[in-house]
Amino acid sequence: MRDMHCHILPGVDDGAQNLSESLAMLAAARDAGVTGIVCTPHCRDPYFDFDAMWDAYNLLVEHAGGFPLTMGFEVNWSKLVWLGMKEWAPYLGIQGPSLVGNGQAALLLEFDVDAPPSQFADYRRTVFELQGIGYDVVIAHPERYLALQKDLELAEMFVRMGCKLQLSANFVAGGFFDRAKKCARALLNAGLVSCIASDAHCAAHYGLLARAMNDYGHQLQS
């Protein structure tokens, strides 16, 4: 099981704060059945420091005992637009095989949680542009977006475009009336979800990934 979204790199965002925490997360990931990790620090304010993030990745690789690690970023749409998509996309995609296995690079794209429905037209254009320059687009934690919670058609639109939807495993911790959990289950029941990732910020989050995969892994789409 490849975890394609986590904040395991030491000291670069709101995830692991030092190498010891990173290694504790790595041990917890192994215990949860994870066999490979894509490290995806935040590409958004106030965290984004490209060089520091690569340094943290190389440090973790040195201490990971050969565990398969890959570099990527969780790319916030607003930050990508500010940086310049064509200039920065080549540096922000996930290194290595694409999620869909067609040879293209993948990019993990995050929308703004409280964006109004009208903003999704801009998101759609960005997805088209990323696909046009050779990227498979994976949309991070769609269950959190308020507009999508109210209108599942927005998720269906991106899937029709060829995007993959990635749920974050912490939706399983939500209560009965939790909107993110309700949306996640609706997306799964509609056959729209390609993967569940830990989105881990600490070791305990890998227990949620194990639980989510046990309960909902059979509903994932290839």
Side-chain angles (χ1 to χ4, degrees):
M1 177 172 59
R2 186 184 187 209
D3 182 16
M4 68 163 301
H5 178 181
C6 73
H7 299 273
I8 194 172
L9 296 184
V12 293
D13 62 9
D14 57 347
Q17 295 304 293
N18 52 55
L19 182 60
S20 294
E21 290 186 13
S22 296
L23 295 177
M25 290 176 67
L26 185 59
R30 290 178 187 269
D31 290 343
V34 174
T35 56
I37 290 175
V38 181
C39 307
T40 54
H42 287 296
C43 176
R44 66 171 171 85
D45 297 328
Y47 301 110
F48 185 56
D49 185 329
F50 183 80
D51 291 335
M53 288 171 170
W54 268 102
D55 288 345
Y57 171 76
N58 290 326
L59 175 65
L60 183 57
V61 168
E62 290 177 13
H63 291 82
F67 187 88
L69 298 173
T70 301
M71 186 61 173
F73 293 86
E74 180 185 7
V75 185
N76 179 266
W77 177 85
S78 297
K79 186 68 173 180
L80 180 61
V81 170
W82 184 85
L83 288 169
M85 186 191 66
K86 291 184 178 179
E87 293 81 3
W88 272 90
Y91 301 101
L92 300 174
I94 294 171
Q95 307 295 306
S98 167
L99 177 68
V100 297
N102 63 7
Q104 292 192 151
L107 187 139
L108 182 65
L109 185 64
E110 174 192 47
F111 300 151
D112 298 318
V113 171
D114 57 355
S118 59
Q119 185 72 58
F120 280 71
D122 293 328
Y123 296 159
R124 187 171 182 269
R125 282 192 290 272
T126 296
V127 167
F128 267 130
E129 291 176 12
L130 286 168
Q131 292 172 330
I133 59 175
Y135 284 91
D136 291 319
V137 178
V138 182
I139 297 176
H141 44 65
E143 73 278 8
R144 298 182 188 174
Y145 305 134
L146 301 184
L148 195 149
Q149 290 172 0
K150 297 175 182 177
D151 183 6
L152 216 63
E153 167 61 23
L154 293 172
E156 293 171 353
M157 174 184 70
F158 287 113
V159 172
R160 288 195 300 269
M161 292 175 65
C163 295
K164 302 297 180 180
L165 303 188
Q166 171 258 302
L167 299 183
S168 289
N170 61 1
F171 79 86
V172 300
F176 183 77
F177 295 106
D178 183 84
R179 295 174 66 179
K181 183 173 184 177
K182 182 179 179 181
C183 183
R185 294 177 68 177
L187 291 167
L188 286 160
N189 291 335
L192 297 173
V193 179
S194 293
C195 62
I196 299 173
S198 73
D199 195 2
H201 287 65
C202 65
H205 289 167
Y206 277 102
L208 297 176
L209 177 61
R211 178 178 160 192
M213 290 300 297
N214 181 69
D215 292 350
Y216 299 102
H218 64 284
Q219 292 185 262
L220 299 179
Q221 302 303 303
S222 59

